[in-house]
Amino acid sequence: MTIDLISKTTVASTQAGRKWDKTAAGWDKHTPEIRNWLRVTTDAMIEMAAIRPGDTVLDLAAGAGDQTLDIARKVGEKGSVVASDISPGILEHAFANAVAAGHQNVRIHCADAEHIGLAEATFDAAVSRLGLMFLPDPLQGLCEIVRVLKPGGRFCSVVFAGPDANPCLRILMSSAMRHAGIAPSDPFRPGGLVSLGKPGLIDALFSKAGFHGVATTRIDAPFHLPATKDYMAFIRDAAGPILQILAPLSARAQADAWAGITAQLEIYQTESGWIGPNTLLLTTGQR
Ligand SMILES: C[S@@+](CC[C@H](N)C(=O)[O-])C[C@H]1O[C@@H](n2cnc3c(N)ncnc32)[C@H](O)[C@@H]1O
């Protein structure tokens, strides 16, 4: 088994990379729940990016590589997939997961998505699952994706729709900010969880970056778990943006905040388990 580490340490010392490193193990640990949650979405994303056997694919903000492995299976031995992320820590998990799955066609690349650092016209297709909205300058990231795609290559991204369609995220953010004494701010500010959920925004950015045939599909992706405590375990291990807001608080204040958030999220407990509403936007475009 050989996995080519293209440039593993490029951004190892950046602040943004270190920030995401903190939740790397948590995101990897909850891969089974994330996989169930995003099963239909991931299949749709791979289909909308028109990924075929033999393709060379870029997976941007790949995290622990759950969707990377699906792509590795889809492209087969004659194709390959580059798992790229800003966090060296999470790429350690992507690397280990690719090795464990026995894929020889996965390569690991550590880079900021706004400066991918790979050659122009390299990829037949590209995807990004729940990553693009975290970029401070998503247009710059999209321009980079256009640059590294071959002419005719397709990109599909998955991002959260707006706060009204994602009430769990709205509760998490507003509650965490209130406990931290932070004044409410524009939910669509760049880099935020639902920043690309503003109606029409992501299509406009794709077009501005140079993509053709841009289209967005909304998908309902409710999070099914046995109980509220299971969602809270996922959030407390893996939800970097919420953890960052609460980090400056004392242990006591953090415990109060978590108790308050849990109480609000109990409204999604049903007789058949905890069902948290979630709406995602799948956007596709062609270079
Ligand atoms: C919510 S996780 C999603 C991971 C994976 N795509 C998935 O769906 O399981 C977000 C990922 O975006 C990465 N990320 C955040 N900002 C980034 C940036 N500027 N460039 C590249 N990756 C970034 C984080 O390190 C993290 O792995």
Side-chain angles (χ1 to χ4, degrees), residues 20 27 61-63 67 85-87 90 111-113 129-131 134-135:
W20 286 101
W27 193 264
Q67 70 290 310
D85 199 284
I86 201 168
S87 157
I90 207 154
D112 186 330
R129 191 181 83 176
L130 294 184
F134 295 123
L135 305 193

